[in-house]
Amino acid sequence: MTVPSSSPLPRIVILATGGTIAGAADARSKGGYNAGAVPAETLMAAVPGATEIAGIAFETVAAIGSQDITDAVWHALAHRIAVLAAREDVDAILVTHGTDTMEETAYFLHLTLSTQKPVVMVGAMRPSTALSGDGPANLRAGLMVAAHPDSRGRGILVVLNDTIHGARDVTKTSTTQVETFQSPNLGPLGYVTANGVAFLRAPGARAALQLPPAPLPRVSILYAHAGMDALLVEAAIAAGARGVVLAGVGDGNAARPVLEALAEAARSGVAVVRASRCPLGPVLRNIEVSDDAAGFVAAGLHSPAKARVLLQVLLASGITAPDAIQAAFDRTE
Ligand code: SIN
């Protein structure tokens, strides 16, 4: 990887992982496409003015749809970003990624990387071959954010649809629309406008955890529903889950048999975190569920997917006691 060293512009390395942004049409249906088929260099060639924003180098970490992202890819990506960020001839890193699990990769990187240099993730909802694909505009906006000095020290930033999101808050909300990424509780960190990059607020605190080795401990998410019984809790424990995240109803609640099975799991040393299937609002301790008595952790503003990532990293780091896990969740609010 050679970053153009003569460039007076910020030097940005693009790490490609695949996704719809690199998707190309195939014949399976009118809208069908293969994720990750197009190299990042080809995508960037469609971005007007890219070489006036930054000196750019390219690397491929993976070429997959993000539904197939694994701990091993997370680990390889985090390790590569850490190595690049330590280099004096690299000013920022831009990661291209599928939108489906971008929020999880972003949070994993946010928790485990400590660089102050901008690390920005972009994707697209429409493949590169689509009429009015959103990839080129998102790549350009991502480059602008990565090149901007105010992006330093903000952790991992997710940029789509001219909107800048923080890794802890951002979530994909629409299966199809280009404005799919939202930060439902706290709102976006900023915007990319005709005048440049504008930040509105700082992101939440970073946990500054070490990058754990892959594979991460198994943590299952259990989606609560009316009439739920303990079957899925028992199945998760039998499969060797070291942690369980409840995507609970309302304030992270569940039917009595589920809570009893979770309390039993907590007594046997399984970490149990209560999150909510509601997209808005925190899950607080000891409101409807007696967390102190059951040994549960309340997820606060972490969605079930984010809570799972944090819990995996904590368990992999040897943080297993419920009060220590709760403290880490509270610290990352
Ligand atoms: C993926 O997540 O890789 C496919 C969907 C997308 O990128 O929008």
Side-chain angles (χ1 to χ4, degrees):
M1 190 273 321
T2 314
V3 190
S5 56
S6 56
S7 173
L9 298 168
R11 294 152 304 178
I12 297 178
V13 180
I14 301 194
L15 296 181
T17 68
T20 294
I21 191 166
D26 79 353
R28 97 185 69 139
S29 73
K30 233 167 65 188
Y33 62 91
N34 294 311
V38 183
E41 290 92 325
T42 311
L43 300 176
M44 198 51 85
V47 178
T51 51
E52 289 153 35
I53 300 172
I56 302 170
F58 299 92
E59 282 185 27
T60 299
V61 174
I64 54 178
S66 76
Q67 68 280 359
D68 288 324
I69 286 279
T70 59
D71 298 356
V73 178
W74 279 355
H75 193 275
L77 185 59
H79 184 260
R80 192 64 195 137
I81 293 172
V83 168
L84 288 168
R87 282 175 53 159
E88 280 184 10
D89 63 348
V90 174
D91 296 307
I93 291 117
L94 183 66
V95 178
T96 61
H97 195 288
T99 61
D100 286 350
T101 63
M102 189 185 293
E103 63 203 77
E104 287 158 78
T105 302
Y107 198 44
F108 178 80
L109 297 175
H110 190 72
L111 291 169
T112 57
L113 288 171
S114 56
T115 179
Q116 296 297 300
K117 292 183 181 174
V119 180
V120 177
M121 297 184 72
V122 295
M125 290 300 287
R126 298 173 183 155
S128 67
T129 48
L131 186 66
S132 125
D134 51 334
N138 290 341
L139 277 169
R140 187 181 158 85
L143 270 183
M144 288 171 68
V145 174
H148 202 281
D150 290 354
S151 302
R152 285 181 62 87
R154 292 179 185 269
I156 311 308
L157 301 172
V158 170
V159 178
L160 274 94
N161 201 37
D162 285 343
T163 311
I164 310 167
H165 296 276
R168 213 289 312 282
D169 305 320
V170 69
T171 189
K172 182 172 179 174
T173 62
S174 165
T175 55
T176 49
Q177 302 301 298
V178 295
E179 68 274 25
T180 185
F181 280 92
Q182 305 288 334
S183 296
N185 281 297
L186 301 175
L189 297 184
Y191 294 99
V192 180
T193 71
N195 291 339
V197 173
F199 283 98
L200 308 172
R201 66 176 180 86
R206 287 171 86 173
L209 294 157
Q210 297 291 316
L211 175 61
L216 295 170
R218 177 184 286 273
V219 172
S220 298
I221 299 176
L222 305 183
Y223 193 92
H225 54 82
M228 188 177 185
D229 62 21
L231 181 79
L232 290 180
V233 181
E234 289 158 6
I237 305 308
R242 289 188 49 208
V244 172
V245 174
L246 175 70
V249 294
D251 178 31
N253 213 339
R256 186 180 300 274
V258 177
L259 292 180
E260 285 172 0
L262 288 172
E264 176 65 34
R267 276 192 293 279
S268 72
V270 174
V272 177
V273 175
R274 292 189 307 107
S276 176
R277 66 184 206 181
C278 298
L280 283 169
V283 171
L284 303 172
R285 285 189 72 78
N286 298 316
I287 303 293
E288 290 182 87
V289 176
S290 300
D291 295 301
D292 289 349
F296 295 160
V297 172
L301 289 174
H302 290 82
S303 68
K306 302 285 172 77
R308 176 176 176 271
V309 174
L310 176 54
L311 184 56
Q312 283 187 296
V313 174
L314 292 172
L315 293 174
S317 311
I319 298 168
T320 56
D323 53 349
I325 295 171
Q326 184 69 66
F329 270 77
D330 294 347
R331 247 196 337 272
T332 49
E333 282 298 284

